[in-house]
Amino acid sequence: APRYDESVARHLHDGGNALLLADSAETLPPGCPVMIRPREGTELDGRWFSNFNWIRPDAEPFNRLAFTTILGFESANVAPEYVIQGIPPSAMQDVLSGITFGWLNNNCALAAQMLAGNGKLLVTTFRLSKYGSDAYSTTLLDTLIRYINAPQFQPQFRLEL
């Protein structure tokens, strides 16, 4: 789903799993402790300092996609325009992919799993609009969908909405 709306809330309340493809600051409801922030026009755009996107190559769902820990040319079409902020340091085990902004010591999530209602939620800001025409985009979305339906999908961080 592109937004956390009433349908997603009901699905999670009933114990379902959901994948949110976050492509705007309005993906999550107002007042939510986890926020989706744009990179463009902020200190998060990386124009004047180094940054890199990373994945956890030794764990689901990225272990099937990983060449290295740092994403390279293969991921150019999925590079996020938004980041996920507000996940506490104690929940970093549920950040599956992120972005590090060099010397600013600012880390944000690009994919994070969490408990919501009675269900489980995976939120990602990876751009997946080239699904079907770009091999990495296609494989990434297919892998994320398989992951949220796998026994290994076991988030610990609870998102209170």
Side-chain angles (χ1 to χ4, degrees), residues 129-141:
S129 61
K130 295 202 184 253
Y131 182 87
S133 64
D134 174 69
Y136 195 87
S137 300
T138 303
T139 304
L140 178 56
L141 182 54

